[in-house]
Amino acid sequence: MNASSTFNFPNLAPARRTSHANPQPILKPLIAASSSVPEPDSDPHARKIKGSPQLTRWSRARAIRSGRKLDRAGQRTQFLEPNPPLHPSDGVSLDPRYSTSSGSDGSHDDAETTAGKSIYMVSDGTGWTVEHSVNAALGQFEHCLVDRGCAVNTHLFSGIDDVERLMEIVKQAAKEGAMLVYTLADPSMADSARQACMHWGIPMTDMLGPITEAIATHLGVLPSGLPRGAPGRSFPLTDEYFRRIEAIEFSIKQDDGALPQNLHKADIVLAGVSRTGKTPLSIYLAQKGYKVANVPIVIGVQLPKSLFEVDPEKVFGLTINPLVLQTIRTARAKTLGFSEGMKSNYSEMVHVRQELEFARRILAQNPVWPVIEVTGKAIEETAAVVLRLYHDRKHKCSMPRISKRY
């Protein structure tokens, strides 16, 4: 299972930033100073650590959301043996102060499990880029993550903007035998992370440095080396920002077929039966600056005339597998307080199939409308399909693309 946690170190006094020219003088004293920390006991056998109650709750919540069955006490699946603690060649010991194996109150979870592999994600900003990059890569290992054949624990450290805190994280990663993945805009910080990982033998990946260097070479311009939100970087309220705000307000007002007379003002119009994800998809696209309206297709309810009068190339139909739709509607009915004894055809399979067939005939009568199958797709995946088709039609591209000018 893939567990995730986020850490910050507010009690550590910030150290002065390293210079861009020579981070080595700062790195060496920090490494040498850590030699005074007592060496943790090493166990030649596979060690067992106890997860914190908070981390365990997050793990269980993620398992429930993904539909996996939770293991109970006495039936736990064994994880892979963890990496043994790593010790630097010069006798530098590792600081255990920031270990995540116990809760903040010193208590341990009642269930003791054998630890899996750890991935430390470090960012000088919010951590959005490194977290999503790691999650995307972990998606390639679902075949062993789902049955815990290769258990992974991810830990996000955001807002790390000085070398001292960075070294504490690197030392903890070495202690746990973790992998370090980082996005650090400051070249000196990134170089300090790289040197420390090499010193302690920690596997590492710099997610931001190589692409930044490649773009700098391509543009012939040096990067600023400043993280987002750093002093000296300003983000004025541009026209694009106000377009996004306007798009969000428009999409909220146009939700669920409201104000059909404004459909011609929309950039994108979504049509589909209930619970095909029209509303969340509309809001997601609106946050990207697109004005979106959505129209529900319901048996016995006439579709607005304006839907057939707008530019057909900006209308997109959504469909879904009937079994999946019935499951979603059943869950929705329960959240609305419908008991099993209450008469409602909303989630009955016969009605679900009839409504999908009714929608299919309407969409077939308008062949210019693309029909997107949303079964098993995340909102982001469906949005990517919509935007690719939208831009292809708008710009008459010979190759599928989503274009944007900076």
Side-chain angles (χ1 to χ4, degrees):
M1 182 180 292
N2 175 15
S4 179
S5 54
T6 305
F7 301 85
N8 276 304
F9 301 105
N11 296 327
L12 284 175
R16 289 190 300 174
R17 297 290 293 271
T18 62
S19 64
H20 287 237
N22 187 13
Q24 187 67 18
I26 293 181
L27 176 63
K28 285 185 176 180
L30 284 171
I31 294 177
S34 64
S35 61
S36 61
V37 181
E39 186 77 21
D41 296 332
S42 59
D43 187 355
H45 303 288
R47 60 193 173 107
K48 291 185 177 181
I49 65 172
K50 299 179 181 179
S52 69
Q54 185 181 29
L55 187 58
T56 301
R57 287 195 297 270
W58 286 343
S59 301
R60 290 174 179 172
R62 177 170 292 187
I64 292 172
R65 289 197 302 270
S66 62
R68 294 195 291 271
K69 184 178 180 181
L70 289 176
D71 289 334
R72 302 301 179 188
Q75 298 178 338
R76 293 189 179 274
T77 305
Q78 291 298 317
F79 293 116
L80 289 178
E81 296 297 335
N83 285 350
L86 299 179
H87 302 282
S89 57
D90 59 356
V92 176
S93 60
L94 306 173
D95 191 346
R97 287 181 294 168
Y98 301 107
S99 173
T100 61
S101 60
S102 63
S104 59
D105 57 354
S107 62
H108 297 285
D109 189 40
D110 56 349
E112 188 177 87
T113 59
T114 304
K117 303 286 187 179
S118 290
I119 300 177
Y120 277 30
M121 304 175 293
V122 181
S123 170
D124 51 15
T126 62
W128 190 97
T129 301
V130 65
E131 184 178 26
H132 282 72
S133 298
V134 169
N135 287 339
L138 286 175
Q140 299 299 313
F141 301 93
E142 289 180 345
H143 57 284
C144 69
L145 288 173
V146 70
D147 59 2
R148 299 177 182 174
C150 55
V152 173
N153 302 294
T154 62
H155 307 278
L156 175 62
F157 300 83
S158 59
I160 306 303
D161 56 0
D162 64 75
V163 178
E164 182 179 351
R165 292 195 289 172
L166 177 62
M167 291 302 107
E168 296 292 346
I169 297 169
V170 173
K171 287 187 292 182
Q172 182 65 22
K175 177 188 175 185
E176 294 190 15
M179 173 185 180
L180 191 75
V181 183
Y182 56 90
T183 51
L184 299 169
D186 188 339
S188 64
M189 286 281 289
D191 194 48
S192 295
R194 180 184 62 81
Q195 292 184 47
C197 288
M198 293 177 61
H199 180 81
W200 279 314
I202 302 173
M204 61 180 175
T205 299
D206 182 357
M207 299 296 300
L208 190 61
I211 189 171
T212 301
E213 293 175 4
I215 293 176
T217 302
H218 182 64
L219 299 179
V221 179
L222 291 176
S224 67
L226 297 174
R228 291 181 64 90
R233 288 192 66 177
S234 60
F235 295 91
L237 299 180
T238 61
D239 291 340
E240 181 182 2
Y241 169 81
F242 289 106
R243 281 197 299 269
R244 288 173 57 195
I245 298 299
E246 184 181 357
I248 293 173
E249 293 176 346
F250 177 89
S251 300
I252 292 175
K253 292 178 180 179
Q254 298 295 137
D255 186 39
D256 204 27
L259 304 177
Q261 66 273 18
N262 292 334
L263 288 181
H264 67 281
K265 299 179 181 179
D267 299 315
I268 296 171
V269 179
L270 305 175
V273 301
S274 173
R275 315 317 297 177
T276 51
K278 299 186 299 298
T279 296
L281 181 58
S282 297
I283 299 302
Y284 181 85
L285 292 171
Q287 291 175 344
K288 292 181 173 291
Y290 299 91
K291 293 181 179 179
V292 185
N294 70 79
V295 179
I297 299 177
V298 183
I299 294 179
V301 177
Q302 186 176 3
L303 290 171
K305 184 179 178 182
S306 55
L307 177 63
F308 305 97
E309 295 174 348
V310 300
D311 182 359
E313 292 195 346
K314 65 181 183 182
V315 181
F316 296 82
L318 305 179
T319 189
I320 192 173
N321 179 278
L323 293 175
V324 175
L325 180 58
Q326 183 194 31
T327 302
I328 296 173
R329 287 188 172 186
T330 300
R332 174 62 173 169
K334 290 182 179 179
T335 61
L336 294 176
F338 293 171
S339 64
E340 294 183 0
M342 296 180 65
K343 295 294 183 180
S344 173
N345 61 359
Y346 178 69
S347 58
E348 291 181 359
M349 178 55 73
V350 174
H351 178 75
V352 167
R353 292 186 181 277
Q354 289 176 348
E355 200 163 59
L356 285 173
E357 176 59 24
F358 176 72
R360 186 196 64 79
R361 290 197 299 267
I362 293 176
L363 298 176
Q365 293 169 4
N366 298 271
V368 180
W369 300 354
V371 179
I372 302 173
E373 171 65 59
V374 301
T375 305
K377 285 188 175 71
I379 294 298
E380 296 86 350
E381 294 175 303
T382 306
V385 176
V386 171
L387 292 181
R388 187 179 70 244
L389 294 173
Y390 172 80
H391 283 268
D392 288 350
R393 292 177 163 197
K394 183 176 180 180
H395 301 293
K396 309 298 181 183
C397 299
S398 57
M399 296 180 63
R401 71 188 70 182
I402 298 174
S403 302
K404 186 176 181 180
R405 183 177 181 83
Y406 289 86

